[in-house]
Amino acid sequence: MGVVLLAALGLLVAGVFAVPSWRCELTGCEKPSRSKERPSGPATRTISPQAAATRGGYVALGDSYSAGVGVQTDGDGDDDGKGADEECLRHAAAFYHDVTRAFRFPGGSSFWACSGATTTEVLKGKDGRLPQTDRVSAKTSLVTLSIGGNDAGFTKVLTRCLAEVLMGSCRGQGDEIAERLDELAKSLPEVIGRITARAPNARVLVVGYPRMFSDDPKDGVATISEDDQRWLNERTREVDNVIKQSARNADRKLVKAGKRGSVEFIDAYNAFDGHETGTSQPYVNGLKFNLRALSAESRSFHPTEKGHRALARLVTKQIKEGPGRPFVVKS
């Protein structure tokens, strides 16, 4: 009888362990996870910052500092067959062209920066021209943008400073500039947001403005005193700070949302160090006065051709180095 009972017990134990779910309940073995049986999402891979910027097309947006007005001469417009017009004063020596020579863009490149552009005009267009933001798309992988100087009233400020002999120190414009910068801090994020919405995978490089005057001026430039040159440099830094903060905030939003693009600020404040207006080899024009028209030429206080080469070096360096984080794309 004992033998029979032992045999029956052995059969019972064997039967229990033959059923996987019972065996796991008794021994604590790991049950198969249903999640592991589900198909995984699309495969991804990490690419270099340069590869991320050059996967598609390149679009250059912005104002006169991108258009190349500083190397402009009368009747020296640039229509590259991509919608340029003389009113925008685009030039073949603008830094955009150096970027297109340095990298290959399988999606092509286009040049839409326009002299005098403000954030409003970039968003809404002007004089029948389409908004610059409409020029980017989901196929765009790189955007360069310089904007904000006209919103801050650079031309008005400089005109006042040049006329200070009659009007007194140009530093009396501080309150007006502060108000304009407050408005820029509201409008620039909208511009960047529109670009990133239309080109969600693009690297957007927002280029700041270089100071026009020596960091420690020794002489006056035109009618602008040494103190006013320092004051103007400080206003340039203020504009750059608004642009930098707007770019950083926009990039944080992209990261938080898990987007694959980026918004990167390029600090150009010291780009012309040692080559400011008034030096022996300036990268930025001083006052260029047209005696025949009795007015200042548009290229006054804008980067020269060498200035654009310096800006191009900053842009190409940023394209290669990136924002300091990996770019992930679908395999």
Side-chain angles (χ1 to χ4, degrees):
M1 180 64 71
V3 174
V4 174
L5 287 174
L6 287 173
L9 183 60
L11 289 173
L12 179 60
V13 171
V16 169
F17 277 83
V19 180
S21 60
W22 294 358
R23 182 173 66 247
C24 288
E25 290 295 334
L26 292 173
T27 64
C29 67
E30 181 180 355
K31 296 181 180 180
S33 172
R34 291 185 179 181
S35 63
K36 293 182 179 179
E37 296 173 359
R38 296 174 182 171
S40 60
T44 60
R45 60 190 175 91
T46 300
I47 60 175
S48 69
Q50 180 174 321
T54 58
R55 298 179 75 223
Y58 166 38
V59 182
L61 309 177
D63 55 18
S64 54
Y65 267 64
S66 288
V69 171
V71 289
Q72 198 82 20
T73 57
D74 290 342
D76 192 19
D78 171 39
D79 189 333
D80 60 2
K82 299 174 182 175
D85 59 62
E86 291 184 1
E87 291 181 5
C88 283
L89 301 179
R90 302 183 185 99
H91 199 280
F95 72 77
Y96 156 81
H97 295 285
D98 276 17
V99 175
T100 60
R101 285 188 286 266
F103 305 100
R104 178 179 175 274
F105 296 94
S109 60
S110 56
F111 188 22
W112 297 105
C114 192
S115 176
T118 63
T119 52
T120 299
E121 291 163 20
V122 170
L123 284 168
K124 299 181 179 180
K126 183 183 179 182
D127 298 332
R129 290 188 292 270
L130 287 175
Q132 291 188 31
T133 50
D134 285 4
R135 305 299 187 176
V136 302
S137 70
K139 296 180 180 180
T140 304
S141 60
L142 177 68
V143 177
T144 54
L145 171 70
S146 67
I147 200 70
N150 293 312
D151 293 77
F154 269 177
T155 300
K156 295 178 182 178
V157 173
L158 278 167
T159 300
R160 172 77 176 268
C161 290
L162 289 168
E164 73 167 66
V165 173
L166 299 176
M167 301 178 66
S169 172
C170 64
R171 284 169 283 175
Q173 305 175 77
D175 290 343
E176 296 174 27
I177 295 172
E179 291 177 4
R180 296 186 196 120
L181 291 181
D182 286 342
E183 291 302 314
L184 178 62
K186 299 174 184 176
S187 61
L188 183 54
E190 186 177 355
V191 171
I192 298 173
R194 183 79 60 84
I195 292 171
T196 56
R198 292 182 61 87
N201 298 319
R203 290 181 60 192
V204 181
L205 309 187
V206 188
V207 186
Y209 294 94
R211 54 180 169 80
M212 291 177 284
F213 305 98
S214 172
D215 203 30
D216 185 22
K218 304 298 183 184
D219 300 296
V221 174
T223 62
I224 303 176
S225 69
E226 296 170 24
D227 285 342
D228 284 347
Q229 289 177 55
R230 295 187 185 93
W231 182 84
L232 286 165
N233 283 343
E234 291 171 2
R235 304 293 76 73
T236 300
R237 176 60 87 185
E238 287 181 350
V239 174
D240 282 349
N241 285 340
V242 171
I243 297 170
K244 176 171 65 175
Q245 192 60 50
S246 297
R248 288 183 173 178
N249 290 344
D251 192 59
R252 290 191 190 102
K253 289 182 180 179
L254 291 181
V255 172
K256 186 176 182 179
K259 302 296 184 181
R260 293 194 170 103
S262 66
V263 180
E264 305 162 41
F265 174 70
I266 297 180
D267 188 351
Y269 183 75
N270 291 313
F272 300 164
D273 190 28
H275 298 278
E276 303 87 351
T277 183
T279 60
S280 60
Q281 294 183 324
Y283 286 2
V284 59
N285 293 305
L287 175 63
K288 301 294 182 182
F289 197 78
N290 188 324
L291 292 174
R292 186 176 301 175
L294 294 177
S295 64
E297 296 180 7
S298 59
R299 58 183 171 141
S300 297
F301 300 105
H302 281 80
T304 65
E305 184 169 349
K306 289 183 178 180
H308 276 272
R309 300 292 78 74
L311 293 175
R313 287 191 291 272
L314 289 178
V315 172
T316 54
K317 180 182 178 183
Q318 187 66 29
I319 289 172
K320 294 175 182 178
E321 294 183 353
R325 66 170 186 272
F327 288 92
V328 179
V329 298
K330 294 180 181 178
S331 295

